[in-house]
Every structure is written in structure tokens, then in C-alpha cells.
């Protein structure tokens, strides 16, 4: 059942994005070009770019209200996982990072639970927003997921939940902070610790055991938008404490049209998958939130 939350007149994109701070309606203008260049520089050097106060105050308030209304639609699952999301391999030495397992607990609300007038859907499908993301990534065009579950999700971390160290399978992630946790829930990452030629297991083990000196933190605040390239940067969200949950909206785009998440992925995150028939003509993607 689609949520019945907030069915009033939806906000327009100029009421959602903080255009005063980010004048991105026309990406050919110098201010827009400066914003894009700055983000590209951050992505190149750190693999991560943050737009502080990306939402207007009105949009942030409504996004929080919508998130609260959607909370009961979340599917929660707990499982043990390693950084590669693979099964244990007893042939590897005990100290190998692939044999280091951590608990992951997450709640996800899938796309098909969002109301058609959802603020999140309006932002997800807005060409102004998509053009900004594509320009920052120097990747045009980008496409919305064709998957009716995974294209846009609300992620909820409640007390004692965490998203442990891992790499992403997808090229990039776009995350909007809606509400920070009372404590914890901090995004941490080791920029470019993995390379195309080396897994750097020794450094990875330092991260896993808390000895790595170059872990960075993004203490995202409500209304902040983050673009992150997580294939080469090990990252996590620390354990949440306190009564206030952590809410983030995750916008999934791809460089290939007609992309779908795999059935295994959908079942793990949402407790269900779409029918095999609907997948036959789509590109299957096993990505990670």
C-alpha cells in the first residue's frame, strides 16, 4: 500500500532546492560552473562531495514529516557481512579482511511506498537535480532506475543499528540527510584505500581494527546532500545511539538505461522482489545502499 502521507499540493523544485545558495537552474552560468568544478575537485581528491543546506527550510521540514509517515513501511533486516558482501572462505587465513564479519542492521522503505506527490519523488525525477548530479560526475546522461523498489529509498537507522565497513558495487551514491541520530550514525570513509591494481589488504585491516590514521568523517546535518564514489573508498555509518533515528533518502541513478536490482538484493533489503518476468528485459544490477 502506498503511503497516504502529505497529499497536499506538492512543492515545486524551486521550493525544494536551496537555489539561493546553489543557483543551478542554468548550469551554463558561472556560479553553477564554479559549484560543479568544486564538487569535481572534491570527488577527485576525496571521492566525496557535500552540498551543505541543499534543501530549503520548508522542504526539509516536509521531508522530515514525510519520513516519519513512511517509517512504518520500513523493512528491517539484520545480518553478518564482510566488506565484500561475500560468504566466509575457510581457505583464506584468519586475518584476511574477507573473514572479518560485522553486524549490519538497516531499515529500508522502497520506492513503491512513496506517494506520487512525494517531495522525494519530485526531487528524484527533477531534470534540474539529475543534471547537477551528472555534471558533477562528468557523466552524461544518467538514468533513473527502472526498478519499482530500489530507485529511491528511505533508509532508517534506529538505536544500535549500523552500516558496517563495506565497498559499493555501483559507481556512485547520492544521499540526502533528513534527520541525524541522537548520537552516532556518522559517515566515515577511507578515501581511495583500494586501487584498480591493489586491494591493499594491510591498510584495510588497519581500518577494520581501528588503527588507520586517514579515516575521514562527514557529520552530515539535516538538509545536506552527499555524492560519494564508494567503489574504491571503504566506508561505514557508525552505530546509532539514543531515541532519535537517523533518516536518509538514497537516490539511485545509473549510467545504463533500464537498470534493475537483482532479486537477491531486493529480498535482502526489502524482504521481497519483483517477478522474474519483469526482469527479463532489464539490466540487472547488484548494488549496495
Amino acid at each position: 500500500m502506498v503511503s497516504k502521507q502529505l497529499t497536499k499540493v506538492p512543492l515545486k523544485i524551486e521550493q525544494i532546492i536551496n537555489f539561493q545558495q546553489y543557483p543551478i537552474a542554468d548550469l551554463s552560468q558561472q556560479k553553477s560552473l564554479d559549484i560543479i568544478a568544486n564538487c569535481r575537485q572534491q570527488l577527485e581528491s576525496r571521492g566525496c562531495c557535500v552540498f551543505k543546506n541543499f534543501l530549503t527550510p520548508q522542504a526539509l521540514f516536509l521531508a522530515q514529516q514525510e519520513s516519519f509517515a513512511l517509517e512504518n513501511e520500513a523493512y528491517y533486516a539484520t545480518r553478518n557481512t564482510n566488506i565484500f558482501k561475500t560468504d566466509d572462505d575457510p581457505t583464506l587465513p584468519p586475518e584476511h579482511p574477507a573473514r572479518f564479519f560485522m553486524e549490519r542492521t538497516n531499515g529500508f522503505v522502497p520506492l513503491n511506498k512513496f506517494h506520487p506527490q512525494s517531495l522525494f519523488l519530485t526531487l528524484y525525477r527533477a531534470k534540474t537535480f539529475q543534471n547537477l548530479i551528472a555534471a558533477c560526475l562528468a557523466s552524461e546522461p544518467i538514468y533513473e532506475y527502472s526498478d519499482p523498489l530500489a530507485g529511491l529509498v528511505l533508509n532508517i537507522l534506529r538505536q544500535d543499528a549500523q552500516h558496517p565497513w563495506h565497498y559499493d558495487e555501483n559507481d556512485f551514491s547520492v544521499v540526502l540527510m533528513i534527520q541525524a541520530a541522537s548520537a552516532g550514525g556518522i559517515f566515515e570513509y577511507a578515501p581511495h584505500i583500494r586501487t584498480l591494481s591493489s586491494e591493499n589488504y594491510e591498510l584495510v585491516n588497519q581500518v577494520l581494527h581501528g588503527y588507520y590514521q586517514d579515516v575521514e568523517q562527514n557529520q552530515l546535518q539535516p538538509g545536506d546532500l552527499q555524492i560519494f564514489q564508494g567503489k574504491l573508498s571503504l566506508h561505514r555509518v557508525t552505530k546509532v545511539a539514543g531515541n532519535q533515528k537517523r533518516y536518509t533518502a538514497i537516490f539511485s541513478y545509473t549510467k545504463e538505461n533500464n537498470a534493475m536490482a537483482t532479486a537477491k538484493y531486493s529480498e535482502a533489503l526489502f524482504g521481497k522482489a519483483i517477478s522474474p518476468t519483469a526482469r527479463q528485459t532489464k539490466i540487472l544490477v547488484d548494488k549496495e545502499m
Side-chain angles (χ1 to χ4, degrees), residues 49-183:
C49 170
V50 176
F51 295 87
K52 305 296 292 184
N53 302 309
F54 188 77
L55 293 186
T56 66
Q58 180 188 19
L60 176 57
F61 173 78
L62 292 177
Q64 291 173 339
Q65 297 305 305
E66 185 175 335
S67 298
F68 302 152
L70 283 166
E71 181 177 350
N72 290 336
E73 303 289 351
Y75 172 77
Y76 285 91
T78 298
R79 64 182 187 273
N80 287 325
T81 182
N82 63 17
I83 62 173
F84 305 110
K85 301 177 287 293
T86 57
D87 294 332
D88 188 26
D89 184 354
T91 65
L92 295 173
E95 67 275 10
H96 194 284
R99 304 203 67 189
F100 188 92
F101 282 79
M102 302 153 285
E103 182 178 276
R104 169 180 169 168
T105 301
N106 265 317
F108 285 101
V109 178
L111 183 150
N112 66 346
K113 296 297 184 180
F114 288 75
H115 192 276
Q117 294 183 345
S118 164
L119 178 150
F120 296 113
L121 276 174
T122 299
L123 183 58
Y124 176 60
R125 292 173 175 160
K127 289 304 178 184
T128 301
F129 184 61
Q130 293 179 13
N131 291 342
L132 172 69
I133 303 302
C136 288
L137 294 165
S139 174
E140 297 188 39
I142 58 172
Y143 299 93
E144 297 173 24
Y145 264 72
S146 297
D147 196 302
L149 300 179
L152 162 68
V153 302
L154 181 68
N155 177 227
I156 304 173
L157 293 182
R158 55 193 178 186
Q159 185 167 334
D160 294 328
Q162 64 179 338
H163 198 165
W165 293 111
H166 66 285
Y167 293 113
D168 290 342
E169 299 297 329
N170 46 320
D171 292 317
F172 61 93
S173 63
V174 181
V175 176
L176 181 65
M177 173 62 78
I178 306 302
Q179 177 176 278
S182 302

Side-chain angles (χ1 to χ4, degrees), residues 6-288:
L6 304 176
T7 58
K8 298 178 182 179
V9 177
L11 295 185
K12 297 178 181 180
I13 194 63
E14 56 266 26
Q15 297 172 297
I16 298 174
I17 298 175
N18 179 3
F19 280 115
Q20 184 173 355
Q21 186 169 344
Y22 301 106
I24 56 171
D26 182 355
L27 295 183
S28 68
Q29 298 298 309
Q30 189 59 51
K31 288 184 178 180
S32 296
L33 294 174
D34 291 343
I35 290 169
I36 292 166
N38 180 60
C39 183
R40 286 185 180 180
Q41 190 278 326
Q42 291 183 57
L43 289 172
E44 176 69 23
S45 62
R46 303 167 59 237
C48 188
C49 170
V50 176
F51 295 87
K52 305 296 292 184
N53 302 309
F54 188 77
L55 293 186
T56 66
Q58 180 188 19
L60 176 57
F61 173 78
L62 292 177
Q64 291 173 339
Q65 297 305 305
E66 185 175 335
S67 298
F68 302 152
L70 283 166
E71 181 177 350
N72 290 336
E73 303 289 351
Y75 172 77
Y76 285 91
T78 298
R79 64 182 187 273
N80 287 325
T81 182
N82 63 17
I83 62 173
F84 305 110
K85 301 177 287 293
T86 57
D87 294 332
D88 188 26
D89 184 354
T91 65
L92 295 173
E95 67 275 10
H96 194 284
R99 304 203 67 189
F100 188 92
F101 282 79
M102 302 153 285
E103 182 178 276
R104 169 180 169 168
T105 301
N106 265 317
F108 285 101
V109 178
L111 183 150
N112 66 346
K113 296 297 184 180
F114 288 75
H115 192 276
Q117 294 183 345
S118 164
L119 178 150
F120 296 113
L121 276 174
T122 299
L123 183 58
Y124 176 60
R125 292 173 175 160
K127 289 304 178 184
T128 301
F129 184 61
Q130 293 179 13
N131 291 342
L132 172 69
I133 303 302
C136 288
L137 294 165
S139 174
E140 297 188 39
I142 58 172
Y143 299 93
E144 297 173 24
Y145 264 72
S146 297
D147 196 302
L149 300 179
L152 162 68
V153 302
L154 181 68
N155 177 227
I156 304 173
L157 293 182
R158 55 193 178 186
Q159 185 167 334
D160 294 328
Q162 64 179 338
H163 198 165
W165 293 111
H166 66 285
Y167 293 113
D168 290 342
E169 299 297 329
N170 46 320
D171 292 317
F172 61 93
S173 63
V174 181
V175 176
L176 181 65
M177 173 62 78
I178 306 302
Q179 177 176 278
S182 302
I186 304 301
F187 181 79
E188 297 185 337
Y189 65 106
H192 304 305
I193 195 169
R194 181 193 215 181
T195 69
L196 296 177
S197 60
S198 175
E199 292 287 352
N200 290 322
Y201 290 137
E202 182 177 351
L203 295 181
V204 168
N205 266 330
Q206 290 181 26
V207 174
L208 295 178
H209 294 281
Y211 304 132
Y212 191 65
Q213 298 298 311
D214 295 324
V215 169
E216 297 192 24
Q217 289 188 340
N218 283 347
Q219 298 202 32
L220 298 173
Q221 298 301 311
D224 292 352
L225 179 78
Q226 174 177 274
I227 303 175
F228 181 66
Q229 296 172 314
K231 272 189 174 181
L232 302 179
S233 296
L234 199 60
H235 55 287
R236 71 173 178 176
V237 177
T238 63
K239 184 174 290 189
V240 165
N243 294 326
Q244 183 163 293
K245 302 179 181 69
R246 183 184 192 267
Y247 295 87
T248 53
I250 303 173
F251 303 89
S252 295
Y253 302 103
T254 69
K255 298 178 181 179
E256 303 290 342
N257 201 7
N258 294 324
M260 300 280 287
T262 63
K264 179 181 179 181
Y265 165 85
S266 292
E267 288 169 356
L269 265 65
F270 310 122
K272 59 182 177 180
I274 63 172
S275 66
T277 303
R279 298 173 177 276
Q280 290 178 358
T281 60
K282 307 293 185 180
I283 298 170
L284 298 182
V285 178
D286 191 2
K287 65 191 189 69
E288 183 70 18

